[in-house]
């Protein structure tokens, strides 16, 4: 039997002539044919967009509060933030001001440009929301914000008597301002004064005022990390509510710096000198850092006196830089020992004022053997024939061990010949904006302050280690050109006499506030 004789299998279920299709209905609004199984409320997609508003619960107008004194915006309920125009911070603030925005999904948000003086901020928002099962509607709209001026509490407090809540009083009982000038540069370099609301210059120091207690304590911690200080705290009651037991205080921190400065002649207590390495009690203070650094020029031995050890038994300097005397090197010979930038040498010196009058010379040891040569000028302290009203020095004179070790002269630093005209420097230092108080300084006080500042600038030029801790900036372009013209007009003899150390331009920083198109070229 062949395969052709067999009947083909026949299906029992009847076959439909037309394939099954979805139910089609007409839109109840416009009559367009739509799929009835997926349509929302018998509306087509175009009618859904026209009749349903997913942004109906979101306000289209709002108000932003701005403080014109400090340029900050109010973040409800009571926070004030800094936000630049059309920044991410300002956009986040605008979105937080809208009610009902948390019920929808934000797709995009951007600013629309408005006139700066219009006091209007416009934001374009694109949102999505589900109108029915399987139907998501996206919509874009604009929100307009009105900028209203409102004074923040900090600025409002600045116009009242209770401006500050914490004060840091920095004092140093010395006849010059060199230490405060150095401290000012450290504060500027680390931007430690950014929270101050006022800086007032007073006798023997500065007052820093703050609006919060923690800001003052942060500044006190900074002072402790850069210089030896002694701190005292006090508080004053302003007001008190007996019903809620809440009180308002003013806090004051008294910070006293060590009354010893760089290049001062010091006489240590004999007991203290033995406890810190058996150093000679008579020495020089070569640096003020986190501790008091003392050098013995006769042996190049150094010692560090920490702040707690110093304030346990404080002492003052024997002589300061205002009592330095100029000497002339008659003969100098290095004797071998070297420690860092110091070389021990034996020198024969004579007072510059005695040249041509007498033949008095002094023999001494110095740590400046690497930079001094016969004929150079050097500044030092003349000990012989000088009376010091100091109990530590009197103890040295009465000691059998140290009385014979007191030198006639102690050299401090090399003296560089300078032109009579003030030097035109290619660098400069920043200064803090200080309130001089009600009374302006007298003419004599102003001359003394200018003299101290000039002495500090010379120390910066001569001391490499001091420059490494400061931020030096390039002088302004116009000033540099004027200085170049003035230098070109000077005589060659004046330039030959000027032996001032020059600061490399690679050590100087650019002032970004002064950079322009011309500077970038």
């Amino acid at each position: 039997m062949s395969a052709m004789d067999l009947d083909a299998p026949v299906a029992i279920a009847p076959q439909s002539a037309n394939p099954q299709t979805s139910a089609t209905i007409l839109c109840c609004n416009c009559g367009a044919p739509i799929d009835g199984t997926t349509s929302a409320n018998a509306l087509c997609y175009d009618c859904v967009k026209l009749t349903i508003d997913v942004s109906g619960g979101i306000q289209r107008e709002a108000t932003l509060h701005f403080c014109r004194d400090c340029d900050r915006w109010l973040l409800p309920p009571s926070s004030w933030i800094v936000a630049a125009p059309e920044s991410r911070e300002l956009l986040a603030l605008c979105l937080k001001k809208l009610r009902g925005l948390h019920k929808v999904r934000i797709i995009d948000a951007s600013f629309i440009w408005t006139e700066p003086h219009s006091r209007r901020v416009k934001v374009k928002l694109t949102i999505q929301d589900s109108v029915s099962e399987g139907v998501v509607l996206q919509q874009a709209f604009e929100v307009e914000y009105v900028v209203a001026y409102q004074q923040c509490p900090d600025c409002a407090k600045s116009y009242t008597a209770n401006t500050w809540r914490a004060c840091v009083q920095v004092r140093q009982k010395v006849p010059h301002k060199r230490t405060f000038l150095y401290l000012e540069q450290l504060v500027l370099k680390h931007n430690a004064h950014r929270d101050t609301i006022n800086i007032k210059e007073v006798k023997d120091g500065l007052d820093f005022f703050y609006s919060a207690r923690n800001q003052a304590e942060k500044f006190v911690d900074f002072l402790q990390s850069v210089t030896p200080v002694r701190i005292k705290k006090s508080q004053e009651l302003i007001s008190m509510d007996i019903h809620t037991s809440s009180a308002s205080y003013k806090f004051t921190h008294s910070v006293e710096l060590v009354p010893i400065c760089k290049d001062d002649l010091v006489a240590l207590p004999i007991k203290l000198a033995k406890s810190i390495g058996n150093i000679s009690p008579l020495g020089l203070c070569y640096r003020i850092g986190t501790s008091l650094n003392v050098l013995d020029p006769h042996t190049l031995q150094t010692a560090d006196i920490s702040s707690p050890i110093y304030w346990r038994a404080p002492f003052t300097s024997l002589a300061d830089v205002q009592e330095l005397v100029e000497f002339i090197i008659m003969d100098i010979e290095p004797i071998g020992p070297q420690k860092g930038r110091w070389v021990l040498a034996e020198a024969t010196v004579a007072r510059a004022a005695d040249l041509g009058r007498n033949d008095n010379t002094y023999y001494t040891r110095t740590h400046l053997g690497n930079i001094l040569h016969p004929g150079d000028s050097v500044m030092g302290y003349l000990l012989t024939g000088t009376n010091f009203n100091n109990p530590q020095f009197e103890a040295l004179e009465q000691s059998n061990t140290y009385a014979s070790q007191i030198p006639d002269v102690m050299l401090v630093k090399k003296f560089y010949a300078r032109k009579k005209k003030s030097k035109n420097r290619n660098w400069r230092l920043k200064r803090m904006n200080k309130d001089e108080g009600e009374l302006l300084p007298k003419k004599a006080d102003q001359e003394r302050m200018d003299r101290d500042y000039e002495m500090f600038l010379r120390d910066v030029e001569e001391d490499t280690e001091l420059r490494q801790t400061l931020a030096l900036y390039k002088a302004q372009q116009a000033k540099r050109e004027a200085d170049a013209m003035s230098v070109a007009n000077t005589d060659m003899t004046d330039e030959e006499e000027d032996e001032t150390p020059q600061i490399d331009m690679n050590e100087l920083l650019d002032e970004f506030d002064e950079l322009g198109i011309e500077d970038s070229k």
Side-chain angles (χ1 to χ4, degrees), residues 437-474:
E438 299 178 355
L439 298 178
L440 295 176
K442 299 179 181 179
K443 183 178 180 180
D445 296 337
Q446 185 64 38
E447 292 177 354
R448 179 177 56 84
M449 293 167 60
D450 295 341
R451 185 171 60 253
D452 292 341
Y453 187 65
E454 177 65 24
M455 189 179 299
F456 175 71
L457 295 180
R458 294 183 180 183
D459 290 341
V460 173
E461 289 177 338
E462 299 171 4
D463 195 342
T464 306
E465 292 184 357
L466 180 62
R467 289 202 301 269
Q468 294 176 355
T469 60
L470 306 180
L472 278 66
Y473 295 89
K474 295 179 182 179

Side-chain angles (χ1 to χ4, degrees), residues 371-436:
I371 61 174
L372 293 181
H373 304 89
D376 290 346
S377 298
V378 61
M379 305 300 290
Y381 294 106
L382 181 62
L383 301 182
T384 180
T386 306
N387 294 325
F388 296 102
N389 186 15
N390 188 280
Q392 287 80 20
F393 188 75
E394 294 177 358
L396 293 181
E397 292 179 331
Q398 298 174 2
S399 174
N400 297 328
T401 305
Y402 300 106
S404 60
Q405 299 180 6
I406 299 177
D408 296 335
V409 173
M410 186 170 290
L411 304 182
V412 178
K413 60 182 179 179
K414 183 177 179 179
F415 178 74
Y416 295 93
R418 299 175 183 266
K419 292 181 289 187
K420 294 182 180 179
K421 185 180 178 180
S422 61
K423 178 176 172 55
N424 299 313
R425 298 180 172 89
N426 60 349
W427 57 276
R428 67 183 184 89
L429 296 174
K430 282 187 175 181
R431 300 298 302 272
M432 285 192 303
N433 295 326
K434 297 185 290 290
D435 185 7
E436 296 180 353

